[in-house]
Every structure is written in C-alpha cells, then in structure tokens.
Amino acid sequence: MGQIEWAMWANEQALAAGLILLTGGIVGVAGQFRGWEFAAYGICHSLFFRFRGQRCLTICVKAFGPLTRNYYVRAFLHAALAVPGGFILATVLGCVCLGIASLIYLLAAIRGEQWEPILPRPESKSRPGESIREPPTNPPPRPPAEHRRKRPESSIEDAAYVNPIPVSPNSF
C-alpha cells in the first residue's frame, strides 16, 4: 500500500480552519464582541486561506523556492497565525483547527514531504479527430485486425453482409 500524504490532510484542515475562522470572525464583528478586532483579523486571515490555492498564489509561492517548499516553515507560520484567534471566543474553534493543521504540516515535514507546484499544462495543438484517417467499415463488435476476413472490393455492393465473427450453433 502507498504511504499517507500528510500535507494533503494539512491543506484540507487549513481550508476548514479558514472557513471556521471566517464564520467566527463574522459573528465576532457583527456582535461587536469585546476584542472584535481579533475577529476582524480572523476574517482577513481566513480570506487568505480561502484564496491560497489559486494559480497566482502558486506562482508566488514557487518564486520563493526552498523557503516555501519546506513544510517546517508552513507549520510554524500556521501556528503563529493561529495565536490571535485564541483571544476571542468566536474564533477559538478556528484557532484550534489551524493549530491542528500546523501539527499535521509538522508531521509531513518530519516524514520528508515537500511541496510541488501544480501548474496547468499547455494544451496540445493536435485534435483527436485529425489522427483518424479512415472510419471503420465493420459495425461493432469488431475482431482484432489480424482475425478479420478480407472481402474483395467488387463484391461489397453485390454480396449480402457477412458477419465477421462466426457464430456456432452450439454457442447458445
């Protein structure tokens, strides 16, 4: 069996933490809780997590090279960014989820995983239909080419259709 890809689980946990931070931040700001500034931080922070999987951020992360490819850096960054969420009750759950994501990133780093960028591939210029030169002449199911019977071209119009797959009377 294959090994578990821990960074994938950390990504999912961080995305869930972003959603929970967003919800808690909205509740904290709308309810004008004491320390609602931390809830506003939770909203801004969660929007960063929601958009970090986009192509432009992938290019930015790729530009920093080994610093962002390393999961130790991500683990400590997530742990540090989770601290302000613990100061207000509305964002505590998001803070805990982000801490769990940080621990999973740390486990991924210990296991030797590294981030690999996934960028879209350039589209090929050939179309699939261009490779087909001649459509098939037999209806399906077609036997392999070496087992097909060759019919003379002149007798195609005159002769009745002959099934290329022989059917024995005992087959039923």
Side-chain angles (χ1 to χ4, degrees):
M1 292 186 67
Q3 293 182 345
I4 294 176
E5 196 173 326
W6 290 102
M8 176 190 67
W9 292 105
N11 288 338
E12 294 297 323
Q13 183 69 28
L15 287 173
L19 185 62
I20 295 167
L21 271 173
L22 179 66
T23 305
I26 290 171
V27 168
V29 170
Q32 291 293 312
F33 287 13
R34 186 176 43 190
W36 64 271
E37 296 86 5
F38 293 112
Y41 164 78
I43 293 172
C44 295
H45 181 70
S46 67
L47 292 178
F48 170 73
F49 277 107
R50 298 308 296 174
F51 292 121
R52 71 183 172 87
Q54 303 301 319
R55 183 174 181 227
C56 60
L57 287 175
T58 301
I59 293 171
C60 293
V61 169
K62 184 181 173 186
F64 287 105
L67 181 66
T68 54
R69 192 172 39 222
N70 190 341
Y71 284 132
Y72 285 112
V73 174
R74 285 194 188 189
F76 292 119
L77 178 68
H78 282 25
L81 291 174
V83 171
F87 291 117
I88 184 170
L89 185 60
T91 57
V92 166
L93 184 59
C95 168
V96 170
C97 290
L98 201 54
I100 292 170
S102 173
L103 291 175
I104 298 172
Y105 271 127
L106 185 62
L107 179 63
I110 290 170
R111 300 273 178 151
E113 294 182 28
Q114 285 190 349
W115 179 77
E116 297 288 329
I118 299 174
L119 296 173
R121 296 179 188 159
E123 294 183 22
S124 63
K125 295 181 181 177
S126 66
R127 295 185 183 146
E130 293 176 357
S131 64
I132 299 173
R133 290 185 175 54
E134 188 175 312
T137 57
N138 295 337
R142 295 178 196 96
E146 59 271 0
H147 295 294
R148 291 185 196 149
R149 291 187 210 157
K150 302 290 183 187
R151 294 186 292 186
E153 293 296 325
S154 62
S155 66
I156 290 178
E157 295 98 18
D158 300 334
Y161 175 75
V162 177
N163 188 357
I165 302 173
V167 178
S168 66
N170 298 333
S171 64
F172 295 107

